[in-house]
Amino acid sequence: MGDDLEPKLREAFAAVGCGIDLQLCEGEAIGQAIERSAGAPVVAIGGGDGTLGQAAGKLAQAGSALGILPLGTRNHLALQLGIPADLTAAARIIAGSHRSRIDLARAGDRVFSNNASIGIYTHLVRQRDQRSGPKWLATIPAAFDVLRHWRAQHFLLSIDGTTRKTKTPLLFIGNNRYTLDAGSVGTRDSLNDGRLSLYSVAAQTPFQLLGFAVRAALGRANPDRDFAELADAAEVVVGGRTMIDVAFDGEVERMALPLTFAILAQALEVMTPEPADPGKPAQTDAALSLAARASLPYRRDV
C-alpha cells in the first residue's frame, strides 16, 4: 500500500470505533516493536505469516491476544482463521470480543504458527529472494535453478522417541495436520489438535520431483509412492552435528542440529470472527478438533 498504509489503517479502526497505538516498522525492527507492545490486552500485527510467527511466541508468553491484519503475500494463517482481506472487516474482528486458542510449534527456541521446511524449499526461497520483482514471478526461475542442482539429503529422525532414517529432498513439519486432499491442499482441519505433522518427500529425480509438485498442488499426491515418511507426533528431533537452513513460514534461518520440534498446545489466543451460528463454537475452538481422525501411519523408506 506504500504511503497509503497508515491512513488506511487509521481509517479502518476509526470506522469500528477502536482507538489504536500505531507503530509502522521496517522488517528488521518488528521484533523490538512486538517486545514493546507485548502485555497489552490485544496486539494487532500487520504483515505476512513470517511476521505473525515471529510475534506469536512473544505474545503467547506475555498473555496478549493476537489480532491479525492480513498484509502479507499469502496470509495462510489469516485465511485459515477466516480473517478477511478487507482492512475494515479485519479491524472489526480485532475490536470485537470473540477469541480462540490455537496451537503453536517450536524448533529449538524458534516459535512458528504454520510450518517449517528443511531441504529444497529453503534453497528455493534464498534463490527467489536474490531476484528482483514480485515473489510469485521470481519463484519460477528460482525453482528451475534449484531443481537442476538439488539432491536428496539423509536425515536421522526421532519421532516421539522412535528413531528413523530418511532420505528426502524436502522435510516438512506442520503445526497440526496439513491435508493432501484435492480442493483443500495446504489447509488444516484444526489448529488445536496438539500434534505436529511430518511429511518426508520420497527421493526422486528432478523431473519426478517436479511431477510430484504438480500432483501435490492438485491434491493427487500418493502417500505410498510420494512420501518416505508420514507421521503425527508430539515431538520430532532432527539429528546431526551441523548447521542447516530451515524455512519458517517462508523465512529462512540458520539452525544448529540436533533440532527439536515440539507442539505448544493452545498456547496463543487470537481474535477471530464470531461463529455464524451463535449456538456453535467457531471452527478453531477446541470443541471442533477432529479427535476421531486416525493418526497418520509411519512409513519406511521405499
Side-chain angles (χ1 to χ4, degrees), residues 40-53:
V42 179
V43 179
I45 306 293
D49 290 299
T51 301
L52 294 175

Side-chain angles (χ1 to χ4, degrees), residues 2 18-19 23 27 50 55 70 75 86 90-91 113 159 185 193 198 204 213 227 249 257 272 301:
C18 181
Q23 301 178 50
N75 302 309
D86 178 76
S113 57
I159 304 171
V185 174
D193 272 352
L198 181 143
Q204 304 173 57
F227 295 96
D249 298 336
L257 296 180
T272 51
D301 288 328

Side-chain angles (χ1 to χ4, degrees), residues 89-263:
R92 183 172 292 109
I93 292 169
I94 294 168
S97 60
H98 192 268
R99 304 178 181 208
S100 301
R101 282 205 166 269
I102 66 171
D103 297 340
L104 297 175
R106 66 172 176 83
D109 294 330
R110 175 59 157 88
V111 175
F112 59 98
S113 57
N114 292 330
N115 56 72
S117 298
I118 300 172
I120 192 170
Y121 180 69
T122 64
H123 290 259
L124 186 150
V125 171
R126 290 204 184 278
Q127 288 280 340
R128 180 197 67 192
D129 290 348
Q130 291 174 6
R131 291 172 163 82
S132 58
K135 284 185 178 180
W136 67 267
L137 188 58
T139 297
I140 299 172
F144 279 101
D145 186 61
V146 170
L147 279 171
R148 285 191 298 115
H149 298 99
W150 188 251
R151 295 294 180 268
Q153 295 174 279
H154 292 271
F155 292 101
L156 179 65
L157 305 176
S158 174
I159 304 171
D160 283 344
T162 301
T163 301
R164 303 276 183 181
K165 291 182 179 179
T166 187
K167 181 181 179 182
T168 179
L170 175 64
L171 190 64
F172 177 98
I173 299 172
N175 172 21
N176 285 270
R177 184 191 296 183
Y178 278 76
T179 180
L180 300 172
D181 298 336
S184 56
V185 174
T187 64
R188 290 164 282 181
D189 289 329
S190 172
L191 294 177
N192 50 22
D193 272 352
R195 303 291 285 175
L196 299 170
S197 55
L198 181 143
Y199 302 80
S200 174
V201 176
Q204 304 173 57
T205 67
F207 182 77
Q208 290 171 331
L209 192 58
L210 184 60
F212 159 74
V214 172
R215 290 194 304 277
L218 296 174
R220 299 179 63 183
N222 184 317
D224 293 311
R225 179 182 62 188
D226 291 325
F227 295 96
E229 290 280 351
L230 294 175
D232 282 351
E235 181 182 272
V236 175
V237 181
V238 181
R241 297 179 180 275
T242 186
M243 301 289 291
I244 59 168
D245 284 339
V246 185
F248 298 103
D249 298 336
E251 295 188 353
V252 179
E253 295 186 21
R254 197 78 170 156
M255 308 288 287
L257 296 180
L259 184 60
T260 299
F261 292 82
I263 199 76

